[in-house]
Coordinates of all heavy atoms in Angstrom, one line a residue:
M990 N 135.0 76.2 148.8 CA 136.2 76.7 149.5 C 137.3 75.7 149.2 O 137.1 74.5 149.2 CB 135.9 76.7 151.0 CG 137.2 77.1 151.8 SD 136.8 77.3 153.6 CE 135.9 78.8 153.7
N991 N 138.5 76.2 148.9 CA 139.7 75.3 148.7 C 140.4 75.1 150.0 O 140.2 75.7 151.0 CB 140.6 75.8 147.5 CG 141.2 77.1 147.9 OD1 141.5 77.4 149.0 ND2 141.5 77.9 146.9
K992 N 141.4 74.2 149.9 CA 142.2 73.8 151.1 C 142.9 75.0 151.7 O 142.9 75.1 152.9 CB 143.2 72.7 150.7 CG 144.1 72.2 151.8 CD 145.0 71.2 151.3 CE 146.1 70.9 152.3 NZ 147.1 69.9 151.9
S993 N 143.5 75.8 150.9 CA 144.3 76.9 151.4 C 143.4 77.9 152.1 O 143.8 78.4 153.2 CB 145.0 77.6 150.2 OG 145.7 78.7 150.7
D994 N 142.2 78.2 151.6 CA 141.3 79.1 152.2 C 140.8 78.5 153.5 O 140.7 79.2 154.5 CB 140.1 79.4 151.3 CG 140.5 80.2 150.1 OD1 141.5 80.9 150.1 OD2 139.7 80.2 149.1
F995 N 140.5 77.2 153.5 CA 140.0 76.6 154.8 C 141.1 76.6 155.9 O 140.8 77.0 157.0 CB 139.7 75.1 154.5 CG 139.3 74.3 155.7 CD1 137.9 74.2 156.0 CD2 140.2 73.7 156.5 CE1 137.5 73.5 157.1 CE2 139.8 73.0 157.6 CZ 138.5 72.9 157.9
L996 N 142.3 76.3 155.5 CA 143.4 76.3 156.5 C 143.7 77.7 157.0 O 144.0 77.9 158.2 CB 144.6 75.6 156.0 CG 144.5 74.1 155.6 CD1 145.7 73.6 155.0 CD2 144.0 73.3 156.8
S997 N 143.7 78.7 156.2 CA 143.9 80.0 156.6 C 142.8 80.5 157.5 O 143.1 81.1 158.5 CB 143.9 80.9 155.3 OG 144.1 82.3 155.7
S998 N 141.6 80.2 157.2 CA 140.5 80.6 158.1 C 140.6 79.9 159.4 O 140.3 80.5 160.5 CB 139.2 80.3 157.4 OG 138.1 80.7 158.2
L999 N 140.9 78.6 159.4 CA 141.1 77.8 160.6 C 142.1 78.4 161.5 O 141.9 78.6 162.7 CB 141.4 76.4 160.3 CG 141.6 75.4 161.5 CD1 140.4 75.4 162.4 CD2 142.0 74.0 161.0
R1000 N 143.3 78.8 160.9 CA 144.3 79.4 161.7 C 143.9 80.7 162.4 O 144.2 80.9 163.5 CB 145.6 79.7 160.8 CG 146.7 80.2 161.6 CD 148.0 80.3 160.8 NE 148.5 79.0 160.4 CZ 149.3 78.2 161.2 NH1 149.5 78.5 162.4 NH2 149.7 77.1 160.7
K1001 N 143.1 81.5 161.7 CA 142.5 82.7 162.3 C 141.6 82.4 163.4 O 141.6 83.1 164.4 CB 141.8 83.5 161.2 CG 142.7 84.2 160.2 CD 141.9 84.9 159.1 CE 142.8 85.4 158.0 NZ 142.1 86.0 156.9
Q1002 N 140.8 81.3 163.3 CA 139.9 80.9 164.3 C 140.6 80.5 165.6 O 140.1 80.5 166.7 CB 139.0 79.8 163.8 CG 138.0 80.2 162.7 CD 136.9 81.0 163.2 OE1 136.4 80.9 164.3 NE2 136.5 82.0 162.3
L1003 N 141.8 80.0 165.4 CA 142.6 79.5 166.5 C 143.6 80.5 167.0 O 144.6 80.1 167.7 CB 143.3 78.2 166.1 CG 142.4 77.0 165.6 CD1 143.2 75.9 165.1 CD2 141.5 76.6 166.7
A1004 N 143.4 81.7 166.7 CA 144.4 82.8 167.1 C 144.7 82.8 168.6 O 145.8 83.2 169.0 CB 143.9 84.1 166.6
G1005 N 143.8 82.4 169.4 CA 144.0 82.4 170.9 C 144.9 81.3 171.4 O 145.4 81.4 172.5
L1006 N 145.2 80.3 170.6 CA 146.0 79.2 171.0 C 147.5 79.5 170.8 O 147.8 80.5 170.1 CB 145.7 77.9 170.2 CG 144.3 77.4 170.4 CD1 144.2 76.1 169.6 CD2 144.1 77.1 171.9
S1007 N 148.4 78.8 171.4 CA 149.8 78.9 171.2 C 150.1 78.6 169.7 O 149.3 77.9 169.1 CB 150.6 78.0 172.1 OG 150.5 76.6 171.6
D1008 N 151.2 79.1 169.2 CA 151.5 78.9 167.8 C 151.7 77.4 167.5 O 151.3 76.9 166.5 CB 152.8 79.6 167.4 CG 152.6 81.1 167.3 OD1 151.5 81.6 167.2 OD2 153.7 81.8 167.4
E1009 N 152.3 76.7 168.5 CA 152.5 75.2 168.4 C 151.2 74.5 168.3 O 151.0 73.6 167.4 CB 153.3 74.7 169.6 CG 153.6 73.2 169.5 CD 154.4 72.8 170.7 OE1 154.9 73.6 171.5 OE2 154.4 71.5 170.9
D1010 N 150.2 74.8 169.2 CA 149.0 74.1 169.2 C 148.2 74.4 167.9 O 147.5 73.5 167.4 CB 148.1 74.5 170.4 CG 148.7 73.9 171.7 OD1 149.4 72.8 171.6 OD2 148.4 74.4 172.8
A1011 N 148.2 75.6 167.5 CA 147.5 76.0 166.3 C 148.1 75.3 165.1 O 147.3 74.8 164.2 CB 147.5 77.5 166.1
A1012 N 149.4 75.3 165.0 CA 150.1 74.6 163.9 C 149.7 73.1 163.9 O 149.5 72.5 162.8 CB 151.6 74.8 164.0
K1013 N 149.7 72.5 165.0 CA 149.3 71.0 165.1 C 147.9 70.8 164.5 O 147.7 69.9 163.8 CB 149.4 70.5 166.5 CG 150.9 70.3 167.0 CD 150.9 69.7 168.4 CE 152.3 69.6 168.9 NZ 152.3 69.2 170.3
A1014 N 147.0 71.7 165.0 CA 145.6 71.5 164.5 C 145.5 71.7 163.0 O 144.8 71.0 162.3 CB 144.7 72.5 165.3
V1015 N 146.1 72.8 162.5 CA 146.1 73.1 161.1 C 146.7 71.9 160.3 O 146.1 71.5 159.3 CB 146.8 74.4 160.8 CG1 147.0 74.6 159.3 CG2 146.0 75.6 161.4
E1016 N 147.8 71.3 160.8 CA 148.4 70.2 160.1 C 147.5 69.0 160.1 O 147.4 68.3 159.1 CB 149.7 69.9 160.8 CG 150.5 68.7 160.1 CD 150.9 68.9 158.7 OE1 151.1 70.1 158.3 OE2 151.0 67.9 157.9
Y1017 N 146.8 68.8 161.2 CA 145.9 67.6 161.3 C 144.8 67.8 160.2 O 144.5 66.8 159.5 CB 145.3 67.6 162.7 CG 144.2 66.6 162.9 CD1 144.5 65.2 163.0 CD2 142.9 67.0 162.9 CE1 143.5 64.3 163.2 CE2 141.8 66.0 163.1 CZ 142.2 64.7 163.2 OH 141.2 63.8 163.4
Y1018 N 144.2 69.0 160.1 CA 143.1 69.2 159.1 C 143.7 69.1 157.7 O 143.0 68.7 156.8 CB 142.3 70.4 159.4 CG 141.2 70.1 160.4 CD1 141.5 70.2 161.8 CD2 140.0 69.7 160.0 CE1 140.5 69.9 162.7 CE2 139.0 69.4 160.9 CZ 139.3 69.5 162.3 OH 138.3 69.2 163.2
S1019 N 144.9 69.6 157.5 CA 145.5 69.5 156.2 C 145.6 68.0 155.8 O 145.3 67.7 154.6 CB 146.9 70.2 156.2 OG 147.5 70.0 155.0
E1020 N 146.1 67.2 156.7 CA 146.2 65.8 156.4 C 144.8 65.1 156.2 O 144.7 64.3 155.3 CB 146.9 65.1 157.5 CG 148.4 65.4 157.6 CD 149.1 64.8 158.8 OE1 148.6 63.8 159.4 OE2 150.3 65.2 159.0
M1021 N 143.8 65.5 156.9 CA 142.5 65.0 156.7 C 142.0 65.3 155.3 O 141.4 64.4 154.6 CB 141.5 65.6 157.7 CG 141.6 65.0 159.1 SD 140.5 65.7 160.3 CE 138.9 65.5 159.5
I1022 N 142.2 66.5 154.8 CA 141.8 66.9 153.5 C 142.6 66.1 152.5 O 142.0 65.6 151.5 CB 142.0 68.4 153.3 CG1 141.0 69.2 154.2 CG2 141.8 68.8 151.9 CD1 141.2 70.7 154.4
D1023 N 143.9 66.0 152.7 CA 144.8 65.3 151.7 C 144.3 63.8 151.6 O 144.3 63.3 150.5 CB 146.2 65.3 152.1 CG 146.9 66.7 151.9 OD1 146.3 67.5 151.1 OD2 147.9 67.0 152.5
D1024 N 144.0 63.2 152.7 CA 143.5 61.8 152.7 C 142.3 61.7 151.9 O 142.1 60.7 151.1 CB 143.2 61.3 154.1 CG 144.5 61.1 155.0 OD1 145.6 61.0 154.4 OD2 144.4 61.0 156.2
R1025 N 141.4 62.6 152.0 CA 140.1 62.5 151.2 C 140.4 62.7 149.7 O 139.8 62.1 148.9 CB 139.1 63.6 151.7 CG 138.5 63.1 153.1 CD 137.8 64.3 153.8 NE 137.0 63.9 154.9 CZ 137.5 63.5 156.1 NH1 138.8 63.4 156.3 NH2 136.7 63.1 157.1
I1026 N 141.3 63.6 149.4 CA 141.7 63.9 148.0 C 142.3 62.6 147.4 O 142.0 62.2 146.3 CB 142.6 65.1 147.9 CG1 141.9 66.4 148.2 CG2 143.2 65.1 146.5 CD1 142.8 67.6 148.3
E1027 N 143.2 61.9 148.2 CA 143.8 60.7 147.8 C 142.8 59.6 147.6 O 143.0 58.7 146.8 CB 144.9 60.2 148.8 CG 146.1 61.1 148.8 CD 147.1 60.7 149.9 OE1 146.9 59.7 150.5 OE2 148.0 61.5 150.1
S1028 N 141.6 59.7 148.3 CA 140.6 58.7 148.2 C 139.7 58.9 147.0 O 138.7 58.2 146.7 CB 139.7 58.7 149.4 OG 140.5 58.2 150.5
G1029 N 139.9 60.0 146.2 CA 139.2 60.3 145.0 C 138.3 61.5 145.0 O 137.7 61.9 144.0
M1030 N 138.2 62.2 146.1 CA 137.4 63.4 146.2 C 138.2 64.6 145.5 O 139.4 64.6 145.5 CB 137.1 63.8 147.6 CG 136.2 63.0 148.4 SD 135.9 63.6 150.0 CE 134.5 62.7 150.5
T1031 N 137.4 65.6 145.0 CA 138.0 66.8 144.6 C 138.4 67.6 145.8 O 138.0 67.3 146.9 CB 137.1 67.7 143.7 OG1 136.0 68.1 144.6 CG2 136.5 66.9 142.5
E1032 N 139.3 68.6 145.6 CA 139.7 69.4 146.7 C 138.5 70.1 147.4 O 138.4 70.1 148.7 CB 140.7 70.5 146.3 CG 141.2 71.3 147.4 CD 142.3 72.3 146.9 OE1 142.9 72.1 145.8 OE2 142.5 73.3 147.6
E1033 N 137.6 70.6 146.7 CA 136.4 71.3 147.2 C 135.5 70.3 148.0 O 135.0 70.6 149.0 CB 135.6 72.0 146.1 CG 136.3 73.2 145.6 CD 137.5 72.9 144.6 OE1 137.5 71.8 144.1 OE2 138.3 73.8 144.4
E1034 N 135.4 69.1 147.4 CA 134.6 68.0 148.1 C 135.2 67.6 149.4 O 134.5 67.5 150.5 CB 134.4 66.8 147.2 CG 133.5 67.0 146.0 CD 133.6 65.8 145.1 OE1 134.6 65.1 145.0 OE2 132.6 65.6 144.3
A1035 N 136.5 67.5 149.4 CA 137.3 67.1 150.6 C 137.1 68.2 151.7 O 136.9 67.8 152.9 CB 138.7 66.9 150.3
V1036 N 137.3 69.4 151.3 CA 137.1 70.5 152.3 C 135.7 70.5 152.8 O 135.5 70.6 154.1 CB 137.5 71.9 151.6 CG1 137.1 73.0 152.5 CG2 139.0 71.9 151.3
S1037 N 134.7 70.4 152.0 CA 133.3 70.4 152.4 C 133.1 69.2 153.4 O 132.3 69.4 154.3 CB 132.4 70.3 151.2 OG 131.1 70.2 151.6
D1038 N 133.7 68.1 153.1 CA 133.5 66.9 153.9 C 134.0 67.1 155.4 O 133.4 66.5 156.3 CB 134.1 65.7 153.3 CG 133.7 64.4 153.8 OD1 132.4 64.2 153.9 OD2 134.5 63.6 154.2
V1039 N 135.0 67.9 155.6 CA 135.6 68.0 156.9 C 134.8 69.1 157.7 O 135.0 69.3 158.9 CB 137.1 68.3 156.9 CG1 137.9 67.2 156.4 CG2 137.4 69.6 156.3
G1040 N 134.0 69.9 157.0 CA 133.1 70.9 157.7 C 133.7 72.3 157.5 O 134.5 72.5 156.6
T1041 N 133.2 73.2 158.3 CA 133.6 74.6 158.2 C 134.8 74.8 159.1 O 135.0 74.1 160.1 CB 132.5 75.5 158.6 OG1 132.2 75.3 160.0 CG2 131.2 75.3 157.8
P1042 N 135.6 75.9 158.8 CA 136.7 76.2 159.7 C 136.2 76.5 161.1 O 136.8 76.2 162.1 CB 137.3 77.4 159.1 CG 136.9 77.4 157.6 CD 135.6 76.7 157.6
E1043 N 135.0 77.1 161.2 CA 134.4 77.5 162.5 C 134.1 76.2 163.3 O 134.4 76.2 164.5 CB 133.2 78.4 162.3 CG 133.5 79.7 161.7 CD 133.6 79.7 160.2 OE1 133.3 78.7 159.5 OE2 134.1 80.7 159.6
S1044 N 133.5 75.3 162.6 CA 133.1 74.0 163.4 C 134.4 73.3 163.7 O 134.4 72.7 164.8 CB 132.2 73.2 162.5 OG 132.8 72.7 161.4
A1045 N 135.4 73.3 162.9 CA 136.6 72.6 163.2 C 137.3 73.3 164.4 O 137.8 72.6 165.3 CB 137.6 72.6 162.0
A1046 N 137.3 74.6 164.4 CA 137.9 75.3 165.5 C 137.2 75.0 166.8 O 137.8 74.8 167.9 CB 138.0 76.8 165.2
K1047 N 135.9 75.0 166.8 CA 135.1 74.7 167.9 C 135.4 73.3 168.5 O 135.6 73.1 169.7 CB 133.6 74.8 167.6 CG 132.7 74.6 168.8 CD 131.2 74.8 168.4 CE 130.3 74.6 169.5 NZ 128.9 74.8 169.2
E1048 N 135.5 72.3 167.6 CA 135.9 71.0 168.0 C 137.3 70.9 168.6 O 137.5 70.3 169.7 CB 135.8 70.1 166.8 CG 136.0 68.6 167.1 CD 135.8 67.7 165.9 OE1 135.0 68.0 165.1 OE2 136.6 66.7 165.8
I1049 N 138.2 71.6 168.0 CA 139.6 71.6 168.5 C 139.6 72.3 169.9 O 140.2 71.7 170.9 CB 140.5 72.4 167.6 CG1 140.7 71.7 166.3 CG2 141.8 72.7 168.3 CD1 141.2 72.5 165.1
L1050 N 138.9 73.4 170.1 CA 138.9 74.1 171.4 C 138.2 73.2 172.5 O 138.6 73.2 173.6 CB 138.3 75.4 171.3 CG 139.1 76.4 170.4 CD1 138.3 77.7 170.2 CD2 140.4 76.7 171.1
M1051 N 137.1 72.5 172.1 CA 136.4 71.7 173.0 C 137.3 70.5 173.5 O 137.1 70.0 174.6 CB 135.1 71.2 172.4 CG 134.1 72.4 172.3 SD 132.5 71.9 171.8 CE 131.9 71.1 173.3
D1052 N 138.1 70.0 172.6 CA 139.0 68.9 172.9 C 140.2 69.3 173.7 O 140.9 68.5 174.3 CB 139.4 68.1 171.7 CG 138.3 67.3 171.0 OD1 137.3 67.1 171.7 OD2 138.4 67.0 169.9
M1053 N 140.5 70.6 173.7 CA 141.7 71.1 174.4 C 141.5 71.2 175.9 O 140.4 71.6 176.3 CB 142.0 72.5 173.8 CG 143.3 73.1 174.3 SD 144.7 73.2 173.3 CE 144.3 72.7 171.7
P1054 N 142.4 70.8 176.7 CA 142.2 71.0 178.2 C 142.0 72.5 178.5 O 142.6 73.4 177.9 CB 143.6 70.6 178.8 CG 144.2 69.7 177.7 CD 143.7 70.2 176.4
I1055 N 141.0 72.7 179.3 CA 140.5 74.1 179.6 C 141.7 74.9 180.2 O 141.8 76.1 179.9 CB 139.3 74.1 180.6 CG1 138.8 75.5 180.7 CG2 139.7 73.6 181.9 CD1 138.1 76.1 179.4
T1056 N 142.6 74.3 180.9 CA 143.7 75.1 181.5 C 144.6 75.6 180.4 O 145.1 76.7 180.5 CB 144.5 74.2 182.5 OG1 144.9 73.1 181.8 CG2 143.7 73.9 183.7
K1057 N 144.8 74.9 179.4 CA 145.6 75.3 178.3 C 145.0 76.5 177.5 O 145.6 77.4 177.1 CB 145.9 74.1 177.3 CG 147.1 74.3 176.5 CD 147.4 72.9 175.8 CE 148.8 72.9 175.4 NZ 149.2 71.7 174.7
V1058 N 143.7 76.4 177.3 CA 143.0 77.5 176.6 C 143.0 78.8 177.5 O 143.3 79.8 176.9 CB 141.5 77.1 176.3 CG1 140.7 78.2 175.7 CG2 141.5 75.9 175.4
V1059 N 142.8 78.7 178.7 CA 142.8 79.8 179.6 C 144.1 80.5 179.7 O 144.3 81.7 179.6 CB 142.3 79.4 181.0 CG1 142.5 80.6 182.0 CG2 140.8 79.0 181.0
K1060 N 145.2 79.6 179.8 CA 146.5 80.2 179.9 C 146.9 80.9 178.6 O 147.5 82.0 178.6 CB 147.6 79.1 180.1 CG 147.6 78.6 181.5 CD 148.6 77.5 181.7 CE 148.6 76.9 183.1 NZ 149.5 75.7 183.2
A1061 N 146.5 80.4 177.4 CA 146.8 81.0 176.2 C 146.0 82.3 176.1 O 146.6 83.3 175.6 CB 146.4 80.1 175.0
K1062 N 144.8 82.4 176.5 CA 144.0 83.6 176.5 C 144.6 84.7 177.4 O 144.7 85.8 177.0 CB 142.6 83.3 176.8 CG 141.7 84.5 176.7 CD 140.3 84.2 176.5 CE 139.3 85.3 176.4 NZ 139.6 86.2 175.3
I1063 N 145.0 84.3 178.6 CA 145.6 85.2 179.5 C 146.9 85.8 179.0 O 147.1 87.0 179.1 CB 145.9 84.5 180.9 CG1 144.5 84.3 181.6 CG2 146.7 85.4 181.8 CD1 144.6 83.4 182.8
K1064 N 147.7 85.0 178.4 CA 149.0 85.5 177.8 C 148.8 86.5 176.7 O 149.5 87.4 176.6 CB 149.8 84.3 177.3 CG 150.5 83.5 178.4 CD 151.4 82.4 177.8 CE 152.0 81.5 178.8 NZ 152.7 80.4 178.3
K1065 N 147.7 86.2 175.9 CA 147.4 87.2 174.8 C 146.9 88.5 175.3 O 147.2 89.5 174.7 CB 146.4 86.5 173.8 CG 146.9 85.3 173.1 CD 147.7 85.7 171.9 CE 148.1 84.4 171.2 NZ 149.0 84.6 170.1
E1066 N 146.1 88.5 176.4 CA 145.5 89.7 176.9 C 146.4 90.5 177.8 O 146.3 91.7 177.9 CB 144.2 89.3 177.6 CG 143.1 88.8 176.7 CD 141.8 88.5 177.4 OE1 141.8 88.5 178.6 OE2 140.9 88.1 176.7
R1067 N 147.3 89.8 178.5 CA 148.1 90.5 179.5 C 149.3 91.1 178.8 O 150.1 90.4 178.2 CB 148.5 89.5 180.6 CG 149.4 90.2 181.7 CD 149.8 89.3 182.7 NE 148.7 88.6 183.3 CZ 148.8 87.6 184.1 NH1 150.0 87.0 184.3 NH2 147.7 87.0 184.7
K1068 N 149.5 92.4 179.0 CA 150.7 93.1 178.5 C 151.4 93.7 179.7 O 150.8 94.4 180.5 CB 150.3 94.1 177.5 CG 149.7 93.6 176.2 CD 149.5 94.6 175.2 CE 148.9 94.0 174.0 NZ 148.8 94.8 172.9
L1069 N 152.7 93.4 179.8 CA 153.5 93.9 180.9 C 153.9 95.3 180.6 O 154.3 95.6 179.5 CB 154.6 93.0 181.2 CG 154.3 91.5 181.6 CD1 155.5 90.7 181.8 CD2 153.4 91.5 182.8
S1070 N 153.9 96.2 181.5 CA 154.2 97.5 181.3 C 155.7 97.8 181.4 O 156.2 98.9 181.1 CB 153.4 98.5 182.2 OG 153.8 98.2 183.6
G1071 N 156.5 96.9 182.0 CA 157.9 97.1 182.2 C 158.2 98.1 183.4 O 159.2 98.8 183.4
G1072 N 157.3 98.1 184.3 CA 157.5 98.8 185.6 C 156.9 100.2 185.5 O 157.1 101.0 186.4
E1073 N 156.2 100.6 184.5 CA 155.6 101.9 184.4 C 154.3 102.0 185.1 O 153.6 101.2 185.2 CB 155.4 102.3 182.9 CG 156.8 102.5 182.2 CD 156.6 102.8 180.7 OE1 155.4 103.2 180.3 OE2 157.5 102.8 180.0

């Protein structure tokens, strides 16, 4: 898997978070991959070294305060009818 595929998949895994929180997490993993590439790894090795997008998303969500995750989920699920 290349960096672009990893980050795209990670963003999909974080769809329940706010755009800001998801962007911060994706940027963090992008920098982690870049650091490994600068250290001499190939792009594929660097991506493999940080794990799967699923495991990264799980780690991000576990580190996120539960109130933030719940609020983000509620906002995504609740649709206002506009008084109808």
Side-chain angles (χ1 to χ4, degrees):
M990 177 179 286
N991 66 29
K992 178 182 171 183
S993 178
D994 291 341
F995 178 92
L996 297 177
S997 176
S998 181
L999 178 59
R1000 185 172 292 282
K1001 288 177 187 173
Q1002 295 287 324
L1003 300 175
L1006 296 181
S1007 71
D1008 290 342
E1009 180 183 347
D1010 288 335
K1013 284 180 185 178
V1015 169
E1016 180 61 28
Y1017 174 76
Y1018 275 87
S1019 178
E1020 289 177 13
M1021 284 178 54
I1022 293 168
D1023 288 342
D1024 288 346
R1025 285 164 172 73
I1026 292 170
E1027 289 174 11
S1028 295
M1030 290 183 168
T1031 66
E1032 183 175 339
E1033 289 76 18
E1034 289 171 334
V1036 169
S1037 177
D1038 195 52
V1039 298
T1041 66
E1043 294 80 12
S1044 65
K1047 184 176 179 180
E1048 185 176 324
I1049 291 163
L1050 293 172
M1051 290 187 72
D1052 289 342
M1053 182 105 12
I1055 189 69
T1056 54
K1057 204 169 199 180
V1058 174
V1059 170
K1060 285 180 184 177
K1062 183 156 181 63
I1063 289 171
K1064 284 182 184 177
K1065 296 276 184 186
E1066 291 179 357
R1067 183 182 299 169
K1068 294 186 180 192
L1069 300 177
S1070 64
E1073 292 179 11

